[in-house]
Amino acid sequence: MNKAIQFPANFLWGSATSAYQIEGSPLADGAGASIWQRFCAVPGNVRDGDHGDIACDHYNRYKEDVALMVKLGLKAYRFSVSWSRILPQGRGAVNQAGLDFYSRLIDELLANGIEPMVTLYHWDLPAALDDRGGWLNPDIADWFTDYARVLFRAFDGRVKSWATLNEPWVVTDGGYLHGTLAPGHRNLHEAALASHNLMRAHGSAVKAYREEGKYQIGIVVNIEPKYPASQSQADLDATRRADAYMNRQYLDPIFLGAYPPEMKEIFGEAWPDWPAADFDLIGQKLDFVGINYYTRSVVRHEPAHWPLRVAPVRQTQATYTETGWEVFPQGLTDTLVNFKQRYGDTPLYVMENGSAFYDPPQAEDGRVHDPLRVSCLRKNMGALHAALELGVDLRGYMVWSLLDNLEWSLGFSKRFGIIHVNFETQQRTLKDSALLYADIVASNGACL
Ligand SMILES: N#[N+]C[C@@H]1[C@@H](O)[C@H](O)[C@@H](O)[C@@H]2O[C@H]12
């Protein structure tokens, strides 16, 4: 990088995790089961039969992990709350012990000068609600709002930054269309219905926050910019469909009052004309949008690939991560600038960005050397700064992830952490990427 980088003085540097991926003890102290406990229990659903019964044992080791955040100098920590710890049946009776855990975590963060940023839903739906249809039941907007109100009333003030959902696209594409994630359904109609109910629930919770809360609330979406493999009309149309399905599907109804027209083109009769009143609810004004960026995709028209009729085109000269994602920092800049151009100047946070690479065992010097992740981190910092220089109102960056953790159906096989976790001993070891990130935070980017 040839020019000293300076980020805004109050730029918020942090890290991100999610409850089921790190906490362990999923049924401790009165907690109810989630759909992810059920999903992991079905042989073949998760690589190597991995599950979240222990994970990073964060439920018991949270003070140790906060101390590591302090060691890295982090200013913020984005984490999610397990709905079924708070409401074991998903609705009704509150489990005070569940609230108490998150209260202890929040107080530990605040005592160490770290801002808690809470995600209400990061995929671990209470199993009891799934028994009632889960995201397919329109009542879930009220169930989610009731859950949100419990947290707003308990923590707002100590928590000043709330996000309703994490990556609604993954919830529906993985959980209801392709069945690769909990609850493992494969149904086009269900995917459409779940997606819309997620957005209704989001809007309803934001509306409730305006009655209950005094600080900021937003949503976190994954954005994967799409680039055409050629300028043929077929490939350009495929790119448009892919962008609508994965990216615009969730931001258009919030900021533009309607879903992209391509949704009917993709889903056909499985995509109804949703009630107009729903868009009044979904379109609640947000204080920020969180963007999760990992990669881009270059796409071509492929009639055989249902329902999108799109296929990715591998880039021969590129570096790919262990999750098969192209390392493409320019896509991060493009994503942030595209948001500004299409939706305006709502403040943005990069709420997840990182990379999974094979980490060599701990070296003789006691360190875990992860040069590829270090290289990616450096490149992504440049991409962030380019977006700032192009006028994007970017407020902060949360690296994914603080710890190696349960990578959903990939189990523990993919390591995204800047801190290595030995899952046999629970030993944490800072990787070189953690040391670089600490320098970035301490110098506000000037070290790059
Ligand atoms: N895969 N992958 C890494 C990461 C996943 O671990 C997070 O839980 C999701 O929010 C998002 O998909 C990104």
Side-chain angles (χ1 to χ4, degrees):
M1 212 161 297
N2 52 17
K3 180 183 167 193
I5 279 189
Q6 271 299 333
F7 286 81
N10 57 353
F11 195 77
L12 198 62
W13 297 102
S15 66
T17 65
S18 86
Y20 192 72
Q21 291 181 272
I22 69 164
E23 288 179 358
S25 306
L27 300 178
D29 302 325
S34 77
I35 57 174
W36 268 94
Q37 268 131 341
R38 286 185 176 170
F39 192 75
C40 292
V42 176
N45 276 349
V46 179
R47 186 174 299 187
D48 304 327
D50 289 339
H51 50 74
D53 286 1
I54 300 173
C56 304
D57 194 26
H58 180 74
Y59 187 78
N60 296 306
R61 296 170 186 267
Y62 71 92
K63 286 193 176 183
E64 173 186 348
D65 293 331
V66 172
L68 288 168
M69 298 177 213
V70 173
K71 192 167 189 175
L72 298 181
L74 303 189
K75 310 298 183 194
Y77 172 54
R78 175 190 176 231
F79 63 96
S80 73
V81 172
S82 168
W83 186 340
S84 51
R85 287 196 197 282
I86 308 302
L87 298 168
Q89 295 306 307
R91 53 207 280 268
V94 173
N95 176 35
Q96 188 58 47
L99 279 177
D100 291 347
F101 165 66
Y102 291 107
S103 184
R104 293 194 300 273
L105 171 58
I106 290 164
D107 285 346
E108 189 71 17
L109 291 165
L110 293 172
N112 286 282
I114 298 171
E115 179 179 339
M117 304 180 87
V118 172
T119 304
L120 295 171
Y121 185 71
H122 199 128
W123 307 358
D124 48 352
L125 185 73
L129 294 185
D130 196 48
D131 292 341
R132 294 172 175 269
W135 291 109
L136 303 176
N137 187 329
D139 291 345
I140 196 160
D142 294 333
W143 302 337
F144 182 67
T145 303
D146 292 345
Y147 156 63
R149 285 187 194 274
V150 170
L151 294 183
F152 296 154
R153 289 170 185 169
F155 301 141
D156 196 53
R158 288 187 282 164
V159 174
K160 297 181 178 175
S161 178
W162 299 90
T164 54
L165 304 175
N166 178 75
E167 300 192 352
W169 177 82
V170 177
V171 176
T172 53
D173 184 78
Y176 290 90
L177 182 58
H178 295 295
T180 52
L181 300 175
H185 296 198
R186 291 178 175 81
N187 183 302
L188 190 65
H189 291 74
E190 289 189 357
L193 181 56
S195 193
H196 186 64
N197 282 336
L198 276 156
M199 295 312 289
R200 291 176 55 248
H202 156 77
S204 178
V206 173
K207 190 174 179 183
Y209 187 71
R210 300 309 178 202
E211 300 158 9
E212 304 281 356
K214 304 181 184 67
Y215 299 94
Q216 64 168 11
I217 192 165
I219 190 172
V220 177
V221 293
N222 55 293
I223 300 290
E224 184 178 290
K226 311 295 180 184
Y227 302 78
S230 80
Q231 290 304 303
S232 71
Q233 194 56 52
D235 286 355
L236 292 173
D237 289 346
T239 306
R240 182 177 48 75
R241 287 195 303 274
D243 180 51
Y245 175 62
M246 191 167 185
N247 303 325
R248 289 183 278 123
Q249 179 181 181
Y250 299 95
L251 293 175
D252 274 18
I254 293 174
F255 290 97
L256 305 180
Y259 288 112
E262 293 88 348
M263 300 314 293
K264 265 210 175 289
E265 187 184 343
I266 296 161
F267 280 81
E269 47 92 18
W271 191 268
D273 294 325
W274 306 105
D278 288 355
F279 295 94
D280 295 335
L281 185 64
I282 295 169
Q284 301 296 313
K285 185 180 183 316
L286 300 184
D287 302 309
F288 70 88
V289 169
I291 303 279
N292 293 353
Y293 175 82
Y294 287 93
T295 190
R296 68 149 175 189
S297 54
V298 178
V299 298
R300 64 178 175 82
H301 177 62
E302 175 43 74
H305 283 197
W306 172 87
L308 220 45
R309 296 172 291 133
V310 169
V313 177
R314 191 170 177 89
Q315 301 304 293
T316 53
Q317 302 306 315
T319 299
Y320 283 79
T321 70
E322 288 286 301
T323 47
W325 295 343
E326 181 189 357
V327 175
F328 191 71
Q330 181 60 45
L332 176 53
T333 305
D334 293 348
T335 291
L336 297 171
V337 172
N338 291 343
F339 180 98
K340 174 182 172 68
Q341 290 170 343
R342 183 173 180 83
Y343 303 115
D345 285 321
T346 298
L348 297 180
Y349 294 84
V350 172
M351 286 296 197
E352 290 183 27
N353 174 245
S355 51
F357 289 106
Y358 168 73
D359 290 335
Q362 197 169 20
E364 286 177 10
D365 62 6
R367 302 254 304 270
V368 173
H369 302 294
D370 57 339
L372 290 172
R373 192 175 291 104
V374 165
S375 170
C376 278
L377 184 57
R378 284 188 181 280
K379 291 172 183 173
N380 284 324
M381 292 300 102
L384 287 183
H385 197 259
L388 283 162
E389 293 197 307
L390 291 168
V392 173
D393 184 1
L394 183 63
R395 303 288 178 91
Y397 174 89
M398 308 295 137
V399 67
W400 183 272
S401 179
L402 176 74
L403 303 169
D404 291 333
N405 59 55
L406 182 71
E407 191 38 63
W408 304 111
S409 51
L410 296 175
F412 296 108
S413 69
K414 305 299 175 216
R415 291 177 176 267
F416 278 88
I418 60 173
I419 297 174
H420 178 274
V421 177
N422 177 324
F423 292 105
E424 275 71 51
T425 67
Q426 290 297 337
Q427 181 185 352
R428 277 79 162 137
T429 307
L430 301 187
K431 302 179 188 176
D432 291 350
S433 53
L435 302 178
L436 170 62
Y437 194 55
D439 287 348
I440 292 168
V441 174
S443 67
N444 201 27
C447 70
L448 293 165

